[in-house]
Amino acid sequence: MTEFAAFTDAVDGPMYVVTAASGGERAGCLVGFASQCSIDPPRFVVWLSIANRTYRLAREAEYLTVHLLHEGDRATAELFGGETGDRVDKFARVGWHPGEAGSPILEGLATWFTGRIDGQVEDGDHVGFLLTPVAVAPPAAGPPPPLLRYRALRDLDPGHPA
């Protein structure tokens, strides 16, 4: 549907890295489909591609951690979007520490929250994970740096097809 493609091409949304842990394993991937979806109660939804390892692990996880990327975070975006956890231990290449139920919190990324998975929306090639925030990064002093957006990463070769 070319009309819809023209609409989505105009969108230049923020990019995220979503991490999960379950059964002693951890995973993380670059995500472009995510949004706050309720104010009261607070809710957020992230959409994970069914092709990637993070999705498979998230299905068994209790929590996901959502890290908002800023312009200076391109190397992290390239690692979590250009490599697959099926072949590479991404967490051996970055600093991190365990959050709720082991959900990895990436060090050096100042804007994040961990959410309890309260539901899933299964439709198409991505599954939506409905999250209720349970832990949030402390606020940074001063204005946040500009966000890393989809257009800045269009040239990134994904670790898995979408």
Side-chain angles (χ1 to χ4, degrees):
M1 176 182 281
T2 58
E3 293 85 9
F4 187 63
F7 175 84
T8 59
D9 283 348
V11 176
D12 193 20
M15 299 300 293
Y16 306 85
V17 169
V18 175
T19 58
S22 179
E25 295 185 60
R26 59 190 178 268
C29 66
L30 184 66
V31 171
F33 303 150
S35 179
Q36 181 177 351
C37 59
S38 176
I39 297 169
D40 187 17
R43 299 286 188 273
F44 197 88
V45 67
V46 296
W47 295 86
L48 301 179
S49 169
I50 62 174
N52 72 41
R53 183 172 185 275
T54 304
Y55 162 76
R56 294 189 302 271
L57 200 62
R59 291 188 59 92
E60 306 301 322
E62 295 178 66
Y63 299 91
L64 298 178
T65 300
V66 179
H67 305 80
L68 181 61
L69 298 178
H70 297 278
E71 285 183 351
D73 299 325
R74 181 171 176 106
T76 302
E78 289 174 351
L79 173 62
F80 282 88
E83 299 288 347
T84 172
D86 293 323
R87 291 187 294 266
V88 171
D89 180 1
K90 300 174 192 180
F91 296 93
R93 299 181 182 185
V94 296
W96 67 278
H97 63 274
E100 295 292 325
S103 183
I105 298 171
L106 302 179
E107 296 171 4
L109 299 181
T111 311
W112 58 267
F113 80 94
T114 299
R116 182 183 64 243
I117 300 171
D118 284 337
Q120 296 178 29
V121 179
E122 299 192 28
D123 193 22
D125 59 6
H126 285 66
V127 170
F129 288 80
L130 180 64
L131 306 176
T132 299
V134 297
V136 181
L147 298 176
L148 182 61
R149 297 196 172 270
Y150 171 73
R151 281 201 181 101
L153 297 173
R154 277 193 171 169
D155 62 336
L156 183 65
D157 289 326
H160 273 290

